[in-house]
Amino acid sequence: GAVVSQHPSWVICKSGTSVKIECRSLDFQATTMFWYRQFPKQSLMLMATSNEGSKATYEQGVEKDKFLINHASLTLSTLTVTSAHPEDSSFYICSASVGTYEQYFGPGTRLTVT
Amino acid sequence: AQSVTQPDIHITVSEGASLELRCNYSYGATPYLFWYVQSPGQGLQLLLKYFSGDTLVQGIKGFEAEFKRSQSSFNLRKPSVHWSDAAEYFCAVGAASGTYKYIFGTGTRLKVLA
């Protein structure tokens, strides 16, 4: 149980375009979802926290207009990278929580912007 | 401020040798503590967690960790390392204020020699 999926697992897009990453909790309802960014050989950096039906709470330094987060249902959250640039290339990981301190992580999405 | 320190960036051990990965945290109350493992290009897998109770916690894949309040530590141990244990290991503490956010350590990369 407690499986989180992400789609796509890998995406390449051209500079200036937007890309959407989906995060789904497959067998439970996630009251809270988290989005992380991970640079090569580095730790996870929390980007934002989202609760179903509410606006996401972004961490300091994260551009809200560039990284749009929508938590439309208790099983789906999306991260849209708008007007992507090469510096947005990274590994993006989502996680989901049922309102406790235990998070269930997705497998991650590798974004490459050319 | 809450923080998590993993003093060892890289650790190399021989297969069959014992392993200890260090984790120190800074937190005012009893923390929620986690150890995750990340294989290359993958998401995070929970090894074990500590919320309360017995300070020696057993996890998956033969790992255990001991919570020592006096030392503000939550070190991960394994008596005999397998080549498949080579990965990145992250310690995390649940942040305060009911946000259910994690604060991650910087990670320890484990290399296993055959």
Short mmCIF file of all heavy atoms in Angstrom, two decimals, chain B residues 66-96:
data_model
loop_
_atom_site.label_atom_id
_atom_site.label_comp_id
_atom_site.label_asym_id
_atom_site.label_seq_id
_atom_site.Cartn_x
_atom_site.Cartn_y
_atom_site.Cartn_z
N GLU B 66 19.29 3.76 16.11
CA GLU B 66 19.08 3.99 17.53
C GLU B 66 18.94 5.47 17.80
O GLU B 66 19.79 6.28 17.40
CB GLU B 66 20.25 3.44 18.35
CG GLU B 66 20.01 3.53 19.86
CD GLU B 66 21.04 2.79 20.68
OE1 GLU B 66 22.07 2.38 20.11
OE2 GLU B 66 20.81 2.61 21.89
N PHE B 67 17.87 5.83 18.45
CA PHE B 67 17.60 7.21 18.83
C PHE B 67 18.27 7.46 20.18
O PHE B 67 17.98 6.77 21.16
CB PHE B 67 16.09 7.44 18.94
CG PHE B 67 15.71 8.75 19.57
CD1 PHE B 67 16.11 9.95 19.01
CD2 PHE B 67 14.93 8.79 20.73
CE1 PHE B 67 15.76 11.16 19.58
CE2 PHE B 67 14.57 10.00 21.31
CZ PHE B 67 14.98 11.18 20.74
N LYS B 68 19.16 8.43 20.22
CA LYS B 68 19.83 8.80 21.46
C LYS B 68 19.55 10.28 21.71
O LYS B 68 20.20 11.16 21.12
CB LYS B 68 21.33 8.53 21.37
CG LYS B 68 21.69 7.07 21.30
CD LYS B 68 23.20 6.85 21.35
CE LYS B 68 23.54 5.36 21.34
NZ LYS B 68 25.00 5.13 21.40
N ARG B 69 18.64 10.52 22.61
CA ARG B 69 18.24 11.89 22.89
C ARG B 69 19.41 12.70 23.43
O ARG B 69 19.60 13.86 23.05
CB ARG B 69 17.09 11.92 23.91
CG ARG B 69 16.55 13.32 24.19
CD ARG B 69 15.57 13.27 25.35
NE ARG B 69 14.45 12.39 25.07
CZ ARG B 69 13.37 12.77 24.40
NH1 ARG B 69 13.28 13.99 23.93
NH2 ARG B 69 12.39 11.92 24.21
N SER B 70 20.21 12.10 24.30
CA SER B 70 21.30 12.85 24.94
C SER B 70 22.35 13.31 23.94
O SER B 70 23.03 14.31 24.14
CB SER B 70 21.97 11.97 26.01
OG SER B 70 22.52 10.81 25.42
N GLN B 71 22.45 12.57 22.84
CA GLN B 71 23.42 12.93 21.81
C GLN B 71 22.77 13.54 20.58
O GLN B 71 23.46 13.87 19.61
CB GLN B 71 24.21 11.68 21.39
CG GLN B 71 24.99 11.06 22.53
CD GLN B 71 25.73 9.80 22.11
OE1 GLN B 71 25.96 9.56 20.93
NE2 GLN B 71 26.11 8.98 23.10
N SER B 72 21.46 13.69 20.63
CA SER B 72 20.72 14.22 19.46
C SER B 72 21.11 13.48 18.19
O SER B 72 21.39 14.09 17.15
CB SER B 72 20.96 15.73 19.29
OG SER B 72 20.49 16.45 20.41
N SER B 73 21.14 12.17 18.31
CA SER B 73 21.58 11.38 17.17
C SER B 73 20.57 10.29 16.82
O SER B 73 19.77 9.86 17.65
CB SER B 73 22.94 10.73 17.46
OG SER B 73 22.83 9.73 18.46
N PHE B 74 20.65 9.87 15.59
CA PHE B 74 19.78 8.79 15.08
C PHE B 74 20.60 8.08 14.01
O PHE B 74 20.36 8.18 12.83
CB PHE B 74 18.50 9.37 14.51
CG PHE B 74 17.45 8.34 14.15
CD1 PHE B 74 16.98 7.43 15.09
CD2 PHE B 74 16.91 8.30 12.87
CE1 PHE B 74 16.01 6.51 14.76
CE2 PHE B 74 15.93 7.37 12.53
CZ PHE B 74 15.48 6.48 13.48
N ASN B 75 21.60 7.33 14.46
CA ASN B 75 22.53 6.68 13.55
C ASN B 75 21.97 5.40 12.98
O ASN B 75 21.32 4.61 13.69
CB ASN B 75 23.85 6.40 14.27
CG ASN B 75 24.57 7.68 14.65
OD1 ASN B 75 24.22 8.77 14.20
ND2 ASN B 75 25.57 7.54 15.51
N LEU B 76 22.25 5.17 11.73
CA LEU B 76 21.78 3.99 11.01
C LEU B 76 22.88 2.94 11.00
O LEU B 76 24.04 3.27 10.75
CB LEU B 76 21.43 4.38 9.58
CG LEU B 76 20.87 3.29 8.67
CD1 LEU B 76 19.46 2.90 9.09
CD2 LEU B 76 20.87 3.75 7.22
N ARG B 77 22.51 1.70 11.24
CA ARG B 77 23.50 0.63 11.30
C ARG B 77 23.04 -0.59 10.51
O ARG B 77 21.84 -0.83 10.33
CB ARG B 77 23.76 0.22 12.76
CG ARG B 77 24.28 1.33 13.65
CD ARG B 77 24.80 0.78 14.95
NE ARG B 77 23.73 0.19 15.76
CZ ARG B 77 23.28 0.69 16.90
NH1 ARG B 77 23.80 1.83 17.34
NH2 ARG B 77 22.36 0.08 17.59
N LYS B 78 24.04 -1.33 10.05
CA LYS B 78 23.77 -2.63 9.44
C LYS B 78 24.97 -3.51 9.75
O LYS B 78 26.11 -3.09 9.54
CB LYS B 78 23.56 -2.51 7.94
CG LYS B 78 23.13 -3.83 7.30
CD LYS B 78 22.69 -3.64 5.85
CE LYS B 78 22.15 -4.96 5.30
NZ LYS B 78 21.65 -4.84 3.91
N PRO B 79 24.75 -4.71 10.25
CA PRO B 79 25.88 -5.55 10.67
C PRO B 79 26.73 -6.08 9.54
O PRO B 79 27.93 -6.28 9.70
CB PRO B 79 25.19 -6.70 11.44
CG PRO B 79 23.77 -6.68 10.99
CD PRO B 79 23.45 -5.28 10.60
N SER B 80 26.13 -6.29 8.37
CA SER B 80 26.88 -6.86 7.26
C SER B 80 26.34 -6.27 5.96
O SER B 80 25.21 -6.54 5.56
CB SER B 80 26.75 -8.39 7.25
OG SER B 80 27.44 -8.95 6.14
N VAL B 81 27.16 -5.49 5.31
CA VAL B 81 26.72 -4.76 4.12
C VAL B 81 26.79 -5.64 2.88
O VAL B 81 27.74 -6.42 2.69
CB VAL B 81 27.59 -3.50 3.93
CG1 VAL B 81 27.31 -2.85 2.59
CG2 VAL B 81 27.32 -2.51 5.05
N HIS B 82 25.81 -5.48 2.03
CA HIS B 82 25.76 -6.19 0.75
C HIS B 82 26.06 -5.20 -0.36
O HIS B 82 25.79 -3.99 -0.23
CB HIS B 82 24.37 -6.82 0.59
CG HIS B 82 24.25 -7.74 -0.58
ND1 HIS B 82 23.72 -7.34 -1.79
CD2 HIS B 82 24.58 -9.04 -0.72
CE1 HIS B 82 23.73 -8.35 -2.63
NE2 HIS B 82 24.25 -9.41 -2.01
N TRP B 83 26.56 -5.70 -1.49
CA TRP B 83 26.90 -4.81 -2.60
C TRP B 83 25.69 -3.99 -3.04
O TRP B 83 25.82 -2.84 -3.48
CB TRP B 83 27.48 -5.58 -3.79
CG TRP B 83 26.52 -6.54 -4.42
CD1 TRP B 83 26.38 -7.86 -4.15
CD2 TRP B 83 25.54 -6.23 -5.43
NE1 TRP B 83 25.37 -8.40 -4.91
CE2 TRP B 83 24.85 -7.44 -5.71
CE3 TRP B 83 25.17 -5.08 -6.11
CZ2 TRP B 83 23.82 -7.51 -6.66
CZ3 TRP B 83 24.14 -5.14 -7.05
CH2 TRP B 83 23.49 -6.35 -7.30
N SER B 84 24.52 -4.56 -2.88
CA SER B 84 23.30 -3.86 -3.33
C SER B 84 22.93 -2.70 -2.41
O SER B 84 22.00 -1.94 -2.71
CB SER B 84 22.13 -4.84 -3.41
OG SER B 84 21.89 -5.43 -2.14
N ASP B 85 23.63 -2.57 -1.28
CA ASP B 85 23.34 -1.44 -0.38
C ASP B 85 23.97 -0.14 -0.86
O ASP B 85 23.70 0.92 -0.28
CB ASP B 85 23.84 -1.76 1.03
CG ASP B 85 23.06 -2.88 1.69
OD1 ASP B 85 21.84 -2.97 1.46
OD2 ASP B 85 23.69 -3.69 2.43
N ALA B 86 24.81 -0.21 -1.87
CA ALA B 86 25.43 1.01 -2.40
C ALA B 86 24.34 1.95 -2.90
O ALA B 86 23.54 1.59 -3.78
CB ALA B 86 26.39 0.65 -3.53
N ALA B 87 24.29 3.14 -2.33
CA ALA B 87 23.22 4.09 -2.64
C ALA B 87 23.48 5.36 -1.85
O ALA B 87 24.50 5.50 -1.17
CB ALA B 87 21.85 3.51 -2.27
N GLU B 88 22.53 6.27 -1.95
CA GLU B 88 22.57 7.51 -1.16
C GLU B 88 21.59 7.35 -0.01
O GLU B 88 20.45 6.90 -0.20
CB GLU B 88 22.17 8.70 -2.03
CG GLU B 88 22.31 10.06 -1.37
CD GLU B 88 23.70 10.64 -1.54
OE1 GLU B 88 24.41 10.22 -2.46
OE2 GLU B 88 24.06 11.53 -0.74
N TYR B 89 22.02 7.73 1.18
CA TYR B 89 21.18 7.59 2.37
C TYR B 89 20.89 8.98 2.95
O TYR B 89 21.80 9.77 3.16
CB TYR B 89 21.87 6.71 3.41
CG TYR B 89 21.96 5.27 2.96
CD1 TYR B 89 22.94 4.85 2.07
CD2 TYR B 89 21.02 4.33 3.41
CE1 TYR B 89 23.00 3.53 1.62
CE2 TYR B 89 21.07 3.01 2.98
CZ TYR B 89 22.06 2.63 2.09
OH TYR B 89 22.11 1.33 1.66
N PHE B 90 19.63 9.20 3.22
CA PHE B 90 19.20 10.49 3.76
C PHE B 90 18.52 10.30 5.11
O PHE B 90 17.63 9.46 5.26
CB PHE B 90 18.21 11.19 2.81
CG PHE B 90 18.83 11.63 1.52
CD1 PHE B 90 18.69 10.86 0.37
CD2 PHE B 90 19.53 12.82 1.44
CE1 PHE B 90 19.24 11.27 -0.83
CE2 PHE B 90 20.09 13.24 0.24
CZ PHE B 90 19.95 12.45 -0.89
N CYS B 91 18.92 11.12 6.04
CA CYS B 91 18.26 11.22 7.33
C CYS B 91 17.32 12.43 7.27
O CYS B 91 17.64 13.44 6.62
CB CYS B 91 19.30 11.41 8.43
SG CYS B 91 18.67 11.55 10.10
N ALA B 92 16.17 12.32 7.89
CA ALA B 92 15.22 13.43 7.86
C ALA B 92 14.53 13.54 9.21
O ALA B 92 14.33 12.55 9.91
CB ALA B 92 14.18 13.25 6.76
N VAL B 93 14.16 14.76 9.54
CA VAL B 93 13.38 15.00 10.75
C VAL B 93 12.10 15.72 10.36
O VAL B 93 12.10 16.57 9.47
CB VAL B 93 14.20 15.83 11.77
CG1 VAL B 93 14.55 17.19 11.22
CG2 VAL B 93 13.45 15.97 13.07
N GLY B 94 11.02 15.35 11.00
CA GLY B 94 9.76 16.02 10.74
C GLY B 94 9.77 17.39 11.38
O GLY B 94 10.05 17.53 12.57
N ALA B 95 9.48 18.40 10.57
CA ALA B 95 9.51 19.77 11.06
C ALA B 95 8.33 20.02 11.98
O ALA B 95 7.32 19.31 11.95
CB ALA B 95 9.50 20.74 9.89
N ALA B 96 8.44 21.02 12.76
CA ALA B 96 7.42 21.35 13.75
C ALA B 96 6.24 22.04 13.10
O ALA B 96 6.16 22.15 11.89
CB ALA B 96 8.03 22.25 14.82
#
